[in-house]
Amino acid sequence: MDLVGLIPSFGGLAFTVIAFVVALSIIVAIHEYGHYIVGRWCGIHAEVFSLGFGPVLYSRVDKRGTQWQVAALPFGGYVKFLGDSDAASGKDGAAMGTLSEEELSRTMHGAKLWKRAATVAAGPVFNFILSIVVFGSMIFWQGTATERPTIGTLVDVPVANSELRSGDVITAIEGQDTPDYVALNALRETLPRQPELTYTVDRDGASRDVTGPYLMPPLVSGLQPRSAAMDEGFEVGDVITAIDGTPVYAFEDLREAVEASAGAELAMQVWRGGEELTITVAPRRMDLPLPEGGFETRWLIGITGGMFFEPETVTPGPFAALWQGVEQMVFIIRSSLSGLWHMITGAISTCNISGPIGIAETSGAVASQGLDQFIWFIAVLSTAVGMLNLFPVPVLDGGHLVFHAYEAVTGRPPSDKALRVMMTAGLAMLLTLMVFALSNDLFCP
C-alpha cells in the first residue's frame, strides 16, 4: 500500500482521521455504555467510564461516584468496575481483601454469576442493537420499492430518445412481462444489449409502448471504498460509454470486459453530466461473499451498478423495517464468519483483514460519499465489533463469558494464576492479530 497515496493533501488526511475517530468513538461509546448500564442495573459499581486511553483530557465525577473521562488516544475505551485492577477487568486482590461483604457484592468479582455474565455480554449486545436500529431506521427513512416496477425518478444517462416518465409502471420490456422486480431483474440475462429498448408502461390508466435506455446501463451508482475505481477518480453518476474504443450499453458488458482483462489496464470513455472524459483503470482481484454462503474471487474495479431509474418507494411499518435491520445484521455476521473460515482454510486471501489504516481509509472514503453512507458504515462496523468481542479469547468479552461458563459448570471460577496466564496469552494473540492486520494495510495490494 502506498502511504503517500493514501490521502493527497493534509485536508484529506484530516477528514479521514476525523471520520475514523467519529465512527470508532460512537461504536466504543455504545459498547462500553452497555457494560456500564447493565452493570449499574445489577448493582455493580463503575469507578471509571473512559472513552479513549492515555492522558485524560476531560473528566467529571457524577453523583454515583463514577468518573466519566475522555482520554487522548481515541482507539477504544473501557469501564473500570469496583475491584478491577485494570481496564481489562483484572482482579485487584489487595483491594478486594479490604472490602466488606456488601461492598464485594458491588464488584465484578464478587457479584452473583448471572449479574457478571449479563454485564459482560451487554457490550456486544448493545453493538448489535445499534446496528439493528440504524439499519432499520435507514430502511424506514429510504422506503422499500413498490411491488410493481414503478419509476420514481429518472437517472441522467446519455440516451438519444427516452419517452419514459416518473410514475410510469413498467409492465413489459421488449414484449417480456414484468409483473414485479423479480421478473424485471431476471430479464437482464435475455434483453438485447443495445442503447434503447421498447417499454410497455401503464400511464394515467392507459397502456402504451415507449422508448427508453437499456434497463441497467454501465452506470456508476456506487463506489466501493479503497477500490480501483475510487482511486482513479470515478464518481457516482458516471456512465461508461466505451471500453478500449468498443461501445458498451449494458452493465453486463462492463462486468465481462473487466473480468476478461485479468488485471490489464482498461481505457474507459466516461460520460459525466454531458461531458466526455477518459479514465484508465486496472482491475483488482477481490473476494466477494455469495448470498448462499461462501466466496467467489473475481476481477473488479469497485463499481456498483444500477437501473436507469430510482424505484418508487413505500414506507414500511416500523417493525418490518427493524426486522429487515435484523436480517442485514445477520447477513454481515454470516459473511464475516464465512470469510474468516475461508481465510483460515486458504480459500481466499488473508489480505481481506484490514487494520487501523485500512479502516481509517474506508471511513474517510465512505464519509466522502454522504452522511447516509457513513451512518450505514458505522452500523456495519458496530456489527463487526460486537461479533469480534464475542470470540472466546481471553481479554475479549467472549473470553470472560467462557470463564463464567466454567464457573457455572464447576461451581468455582478459574484460579487467579490461571486467569493471569490466560489473559496474558489472550493479549498476546490480540496484539499479534493487530500487527498482522497492520502489515496487510502496509503491504497488501
Side-chain angles (χ1 to χ4, degrees), residues 21 33 50 83 124-125 129 154 165 198 209-210 218 222 232 266 312 319 336 360 369 376 393 403 410 413 415 433:
V21 170
Y33 186 77
S50 180
V125 169
I129 291 173
L154 291 162
R165 299 179 186 174
T198 299
D209 290 338
V210 296
E232 296 300 335
L266 298 170
E312 185 177 84
F319 292 109
S336 299
Q369 297 184 48
W376 188 273
V393 177
F403 299 153
T410 64
S415 68
L433 178 61

Side-chain angles (χ1 to χ4, degrees), residues 84-363:
D84 290 349
S85 61
D86 49 41
S89 295
K91 183 178 179 180
D92 187 344
M96 293 282 289
T98 64
L99 300 178
S100 66
E101 287 295 324
E102 181 181 352
E103 290 172 324
L104 284 172
S105 68
R106 299 176 63 230
T107 71
M108 269 295 285
H109 307 279
K112 291 182 179 180
L113 179 59
W114 71 266
K115 293 183 178 181
R116 286 179 275 143
T119 301
V120 170
V125 169
F126 268 53
N127 280 132
F128 296 145
I129 291 173
L130 171 65
S131 299
I132 292 169
V133 169
V134 170
F135 290 143
S137 299
M138 294 288 285
I139 291 168
F140 182 81
W141 174 59
Q142 294 173 348
T144 57
T146 56
E147 183 177 353
R148 300 179 69 192
T150 305
I151 297 175
T153 57
L154 291 162
V155 178
D156 192 17
V157 295
V159 60
N161 181 31
S162 178
E163 302 168 318
L164 291 161
R165 299 179 186 174
S166 296
D168 285 347
V169 179
I170 301 173
T171 58
I173 306 176
E174 294 292 321
Q176 302 182 66
D177 292 338
T178 57
D180 52 35
Y181 281 99
V182 174
L184 188 75
N185 290 326
L187 291 185
R188 290 168 53 188
E189 300 297 326
T190 60
L191 288 174
R193 298 181 187 178
Q194 56 194 41
E196 295 180 357
L197 299 174
T198 299
Y199 292 81
T200 303
V201 300
D202 281 344
R203 179 184 298 170
D204 299 328
S207 179
R208 65 184 69 194
D209 290 338
V210 296
T211 301
Y214 185 81
L215 177 63
M216 185 174 279
L219 168 70
V220 181
S221 61
L223 287 166
Q224 183 175 341
R226 305 174 66 200
S227 64
M230 177 166 279
D231 291 346
E232 296 300 335
F234 279 90
E235 297 180 4
V236 172
D238 287 349
V239 180
I240 298 164
T241 58
I243 301 176
D244 288 338
T246 301
V248 291
Y249 306 112
F251 193 83
E252 288 80 1
D253 293 332
L254 169 63
R255 179 179 58 79
E256 291 171 1
V258 168
E259 186 67 29
S261 73
E265 287 189 343
L266 298 170
M268 298 189 179
Q269 197 74 19
V270 177
W271 182 90
R272 179 180 294 171
E275 298 182 359
E276 294 281 349
L277 61 152
T278 300
I279 300 178
T280 301
V281 60
R284 301 170 184 171
R285 290 191 70 84
M286 300 182 68
D287 301 307
L288 298 178
L290 298 172
E292 64 274 11
F295 280 76
E296 66 174 348
T297 302
R298 290 167 45 194
W299 289 100
L300 299 171
I301 60 175
I303 285 176
T304 302
M307 296 184 291
F308 68 87
F309 68 93
E310 295 291 339
E312 185 177 84
T313 61
V314 294
T315 301
F319 292 109
L322 284 176
W323 181 249
Q324 291 182 54
V326 172
E327 292 177 332
Q328 179 66 34
M329 184 194 71
V330 170
F331 172 75
I332 293 170
I333 293 174
R334 286 180 54 199
S335 299
S336 299
L337 293 176
S338 176
L340 181 61
W341 173 251
H342 281 74
M343 281 185 277
I344 292 173
T345 59
I348 63 175
S349 171
T350 54
C351 284
N352 286 282
I353 296 178
S354 294
I357 295 176
I359 297 173
E361 185 180 7
T362 301
S363 300

Side-chain angles (χ1 to χ4, degrees), residues 355-405:
I357 295 176
I359 297 173
E361 185 180 7
T362 301
S363 300
V366 173
S368 69
Q369 297 184 48
L371 180 61
D372 57 339
Q373 297 291 324
F374 185 57
I375 293 173
W376 188 273
F377 171 73
I378 289 175
V380 172
L381 198 57
S382 182
T383 298
V385 168
M387 180 194 70
L388 290 173
N389 267 279
L390 287 177
F391 282 11
V393 177
V395 179
L396 298 180
D397 295 329
H400 287 288
L401 290 174
V402 170
F403 299 153
H404 294 329

